[in-house]
Amino acid sequence: MKSVLAMALLGTMPRALAQVSTAANTAALRARFDLETVPRLAQAMAKQPFRAPDDRLPAALAADYDAYRDLRFDPEQAIWRREALPFQLQMFHRGFLFKQRVDLHLVHDGVATPLVYSPEMFSLPPGVGAELGEDTGFAGFRVHAPLNRATVYDELIVFLGASYFRALGKGHLYGLSARGLALGSGDPGAEEFPVFRAFWIELPASGADHLAVHALLDSPSVTGAFRFAIRPGGETIIDVQSRLYPRVDLARAGIAPLTSMFEFDAGDRVGIDDYRPAVHDSDGLAILNGAGEQIWRPLGNPPRVRISGFADARPKGFGLMQRKRHFADYADTEARYHQRPSLWIEPVGDWGDGAVTLVEIPTADEYHDNIVAFWRPQQPLRAGREYRFDYRMHWCDTHRWEAALATVGATRIGAAPDVTRRLVVIDLEGGRLASIAHDTTLTPDVWAAHGDVVNAVAYPNPEAGGWRLSFEFRPHGDGHDVELHARVLEGHVPLSETWLYRWSPP
């Protein structure tokens, strides 16, 4: 039985490229591999009709989440475990929500060899293994490396489900995720989820500081070729090279999409009955736009789907950040939200005109991701062309940008003495503002796109060592969302980043 990839390409490509390896092949098919192999495969597939990945499974594997967790890979069989290399691989079994087979290949000295599935790689419930053969295949894989201690191989990154993946820096626990591509996120119609159908993982040298992973993306609308250079550390860095080959015109593509969860915080606690001060994997969207303006947008859990676009040209960076880093910020001994990573995207090259786009979806709990952020190009991606978007991912505590500007440490919103108004209090930390004398008069630059702002003032906060910016906001009561803007100036010179907030009526 040939894989869907092989059937799509046979007769359209040279023999070496037509030998697309799959876990169904019992013979070890080998093929030459170089940096152009996956782009050539993606380009050829884009000219063929889309064929859905194989998702047929025995009934025993289509059970619930708890049953799926029992399909455990045997760590003693981890790839490269015995070679004492700086990285090890473990595979995920197909089952539950992860039904589609993903072809895995190992690359050594320019030759790609398929990684063949065997039930003996996993701890399986009694009787299940007898129903499975080499054709069952894998759902994805994870990489282990000495991340926190030199002698322990910790989980570093996971590729599992559609085009999702998530990684860790030193001291982190899993939180937000990334994707290869978003199509239709936040749009009225159905969202399309491209999948990584195959991976090629290069053998690392004994002293390598990074692992190279190549991935083939596919969906009804587009194919793509990705290369990930993964460097673990206190800040895990992934250099991403991506090429997209649309089958149809893509007017609403999302580049470098990030997915996270925000339930509540001090600025958004309406209807919350919870002992914890905050619950979220990320608390804000950070943007460094092409003009050099530093923007912070606190996240919210809105009463209805909310989409915001921040128009830009040649963006310098954006990301979903977890700025609150103390246990007391969440008081959660189990979820430990203060250890969730931030993810900063640093474009490489000219991405042109477009918008950093934020989608906020209502959620009633902390178990469902409800935040999406990505770059949306202004011009559609046309069918039959190649588009390149390269970027560097920083899985980190915080991001690097303009050190002279104070950053927003917290946003608090509550009732004002006048019940027709809302009181907004913004804590500012660091930057040159931290060294400004407390008797200095600073200018609060505050405005609302709709509604009235009164009593805006900037003043020192000696308890926290920073400054506060506060104001009262009176909405017009017409049910509209309102964009709020605030920063602190010394004369006409900004001392803080720009705080942008979208207030939604309850």
Side-chain angles (χ1 to χ4, degrees), residues 258-343:
L258 315 179
T259 302
S260 192
M261 180 277 296
F262 180 97
E263 187 181 6
F264 65 88
D265 203 330
D268 192 347
R269 290 190 63 94
V270 176
I272 296 298
D273 185 16
D274 197 300
Y275 76 93
R276 296 167 293 182
V279 169
H280 48 70
D281 286 334
S282 306
D283 53 6
L285 169 67
I287 301 172
L288 183 59
N289 65 24
E293 183 180 14
Q294 183 170 308
I295 296 170
W296 177 252
R297 167 64 181 275
L299 298 177
N301 184 357
R304 54 196 167 275
V305 176
R306 194 164 64 185
I307 302 175
S308 306
F310 304 85
D312 198 5
R314 297 177 293 280
K316 296 179 180 178
F318 67 93
L320 292 175
M321 318 307 293
Q322 184 79 316
R323 281 188 172 175
K324 291 187 173 181
R325 286 287 161 194
H326 302 291
F327 169 77
D329 293 327
Y330 310 92
D332 193 322
T333 57
E334 182 178 356
R336 304 188 68 81
Y337 288 111
H338 62 291
Q339 292 181 259
R340 306 297 172 102
S342 300
L343 179 48

Side-chain angles (χ1 to χ4, degrees), residues 219-240:
S219 83
S221 299
V222 63
T223 67
F226 286 73
R227 182 182 187 272
F228 304 93
I230 305 162
R231 292 177 173 81
E235 174 181 280
T236 290
I237 294 175
I238 304 178
D239 288 313
V240 182

Side-chain angles (χ1 to χ4, degrees), residues 1-8 20-25 101 103 197:
M1 175 181 174
K2 294 185 176 68
S3 71
V4 171
L5 300 182
M7 290 190 290
V20 180
S21 60
T22 161
N25 297 115
R101 184 175 61 201
D103 295 338
R197 299 187 70 147

Side-chain angles (χ1 to χ4, degrees), residues 214-486:
H214 306 257
L216 178 65
L217 183 105
D218 194 18
S219 83
S221 299
V222 63
T223 67
F226 286 73
R227 182 182 187 272
F228 304 93
I230 305 162
R231 292 177 173 81
E235 174 181 280
T236 290
I237 294 175
I238 304 178
D239 288 313
V240 182
Q241 297 175 340
S242 68
R243 305 189 201 181
L244 302 177
Y245 305 94
R247 286 188 168 102
V248 298
D249 291 349
L250 302 177
R252 310 288 288 173
I255 307 301
L258 315 179
T259 302
S260 192
M261 180 277 296
F262 180 97
E263 187 181 6
F264 65 88
D265 203 330
D268 192 347
R269 290 190 63 94
V270 176
I272 296 298
D273 185 16
D274 197 300
Y275 76 93
R276 296 167 293 182
V279 169
H280 48 70
D281 286 334
S282 306
D283 53 6
L285 169 67
I287 301 172
L288 183 59
N289 65 24
E293 183 180 14
Q294 183 170 308
I295 296 170
W296 177 252
R297 167 64 181 275
L299 298 177
N301 184 357
R304 54 196 167 275
V305 176
R306 194 164 64 185
I307 302 175
S308 306
F310 304 85
D312 198 5
R314 297 177 293 280
K316 296 179 180 178
F318 67 93
L320 292 175
M321 318 307 293
Q322 184 79 316
R323 281 188 172 175
K324 291 187 173 181
R325 286 287 161 194
H326 302 291
F327 169 77
D329 293 327
Y330 310 92
D332 193 322
T333 57
E334 182 178 356
R336 304 188 68 81
Y337 288 111
H338 62 291
Q339 292 181 259
R340 306 297 172 102
S342 300
L343 179 48
W344 179 248
I345 303 296
E346 181 184 350
V348 176
D350 185 355
W351 280 17
D353 296 338
V356 175
T357 302
L358 175 66
V359 181
E360 297 165 291
I361 302 168
T363 185
D365 58 49
E366 61 198 279
Y367 308 111
H368 297 88
D369 287 341
N370 64 318
I371 303 295
V372 185
F374 50 82
W375 172 258
R376 175 160 282 167
Q378 180 175 300
Q379 298 299 321
L381 307 185
R382 300 297 183 186
R385 300 183 185 177
E386 177 186 78
Y387 295 88
R388 300 194 182 197
F389 295 95
D390 296 343
Y391 49 97
R392 172 168 284 188
M393 312 180 84
H394 301 260
W395 299 79
C396 56
D397 283 344
T398 188
H399 48 293
R400 302 188 189 101
W401 55 6
E402 181 54 62
L405 296 179
T407 57
V408 175
T411 298
R412 296 179 173 87
I413 301 177
D418 181 339
V419 296
T420 66
R421 303 174 183 173
R422 304 296 290 169
L423 176 62
V424 180
V425 178
I426 304 167
D427 285 330
L428 301 170
E429 304 171 347
R432 195 163 65 85
L433 186 61
S435 61
I436 295 291
H438 286 183
D439 59 356
T440 304
T441 299
L442 301 179
T443 303
D445 177 23
V446 182
W447 52 262
H450 191 64
D452 303 314
V453 170
V454 296
N455 300 328
V457 60
Y459 53 95
N461 180 358
E463 296 299 324
W467 283 67
R468 272 191 168 176
L469 173 61
S470 67
F471 62 92
E472 295 176 27
F473 162 65
R474 179 190 288 119
H476 283 174
D478 52 10
H480 291 146
D481 288 354
V482 180
E483 293 290 339
L484 301 173
H485 167 287

Side-chain angles (χ1 to χ4, degrees), residues 47-360:
K47 299 174 183 177
Q48 305 296 320
F50 172 74
R51 299 193 184 196
D54 180 11
D55 63 0
R56 293 170 297 174
L57 284 174
L61 296 179
D64 58 20
Y65 175 67
D66 289 333
Y68 180 70
R69 291 182 63 186
D70 290 336
L71 307 177
R72 295 185 177 92
F73 185 84
D74 178 6
E76 292 297 322
Q77 299 191 54
I79 305 300
W80 306 322
R81 180 182 178 90
R82 292 173 178 79
E83 287 81 354
L85 296 177
F87 300 94
Q88 296 178 7
L89 307 180
Q90 296 187 19
M91 280 64 76
F92 289 101
H93 207 285
R94 294 171 64 197
F96 185 44
L97 299 177
F98 310 108
K99 298 178 181 180
Q100 296 172 344
R101 184 175 61 201
V102 175
D103 295 338
L104 303 181
H105 313 76
L106 302 179
V107 178
H108 178 49
D109 286 341
V111 175
T113 303
L115 188 58
V116 179
Y117 166 88
S118 170
E120 283 71 32
M121 293 178 171
F122 297 87
S123 173
L124 301 174
V128 172
E131 301 182 48
L132 307 177
E134 292 179 357
D135 192 43
T136 300
F138 306 106
F141 70 100
R142 60 188 176 186
V143 179
H144 290 239
L147 179 62
N148 297 296
R149 289 173 289 175
T151 58
V152 177
Y153 280 72
D154 296 308
E155 199 165 311
L156 171 65
I157 186 170
V158 168
F159 291 90
L160 180 66
S163 68
Y164 283 90
F165 60 99
R166 54 182 182 167
L168 300 169
K170 185 176 182 180
H172 290 155
L173 302 176
Y174 279 128
L176 81 170
S177 302
R179 279 188 276 171
L181 184 68
L183 295 177
S185 292
D187 293 348
E191 183 171 359
E192 183 176 313
F193 290 90
V195 300
F196 284 138
R197 299 187 70 147
F199 291 91
W200 291 258
I201 307 151
E202 295 186 26
L203 176 75
S206 59
D209 67 347
H210 74 281
L211 179 70
V213 175
H214 306 257
L216 178 65
L217 183 105
D218 194 18
S219 83
S221 299
V222 63
T223 67
F226 286 73
R227 182 182 187 272
F228 304 93
I230 305 162
R231 292 177 173 81
E235 174 181 280
T236 290
I237 294 175
I238 304 178
D239 288 313
V240 182
Q241 297 175 340
S242 68
R243 305 189 201 181
L244 302 177
Y245 305 94
R247 286 188 168 102
V248 298
D249 291 349
L250 302 177
R252 310 288 288 173
I255 307 301
L258 315 179
T259 302
S260 192
M261 180 277 296
F262 180 97
E263 187 181 6
F264 65 88
D265 203 330
D268 192 347
R269 290 190 63 94
V270 176
I272 296 298
D273 185 16
D274 197 300
Y275 76 93
R276 296 167 293 182
V279 169
H280 48 70
D281 286 334
S282 306
D283 53 6
L285 169 67
I287 301 172
L288 183 59
N289 65 24
E293 183 180 14
Q294 183 170 308
I295 296 170
W296 177 252
R297 167 64 181 275
L299 298 177
N301 184 357
R304 54 196 167 275
V305 176
R306 194 164 64 185
I307 302 175
S308 306
F310 304 85
D312 198 5
R314 297 177 293 280
K316 296 179 180 178
F318 67 93
L320 292 175
M321 318 307 293
Q322 184 79 316
R323 281 188 172 175
K324 291 187 173 181
R325 286 287 161 194
H326 302 291
F327 169 77
D329 293 327
Y330 310 92
D332 193 322
T333 57
E334 182 178 356
R336 304 188 68 81
Y337 288 111
H338 62 291
Q339 292 181 259
R340 306 297 172 102
S342 300
L343 179 48
W344 179 248
I345 303 296
E346 181 184 350
V348 176
D350 185 355
W351 280 17
D353 296 338
V356 175
T357 302
L358 175 66
V359 181
E360 297 165 291

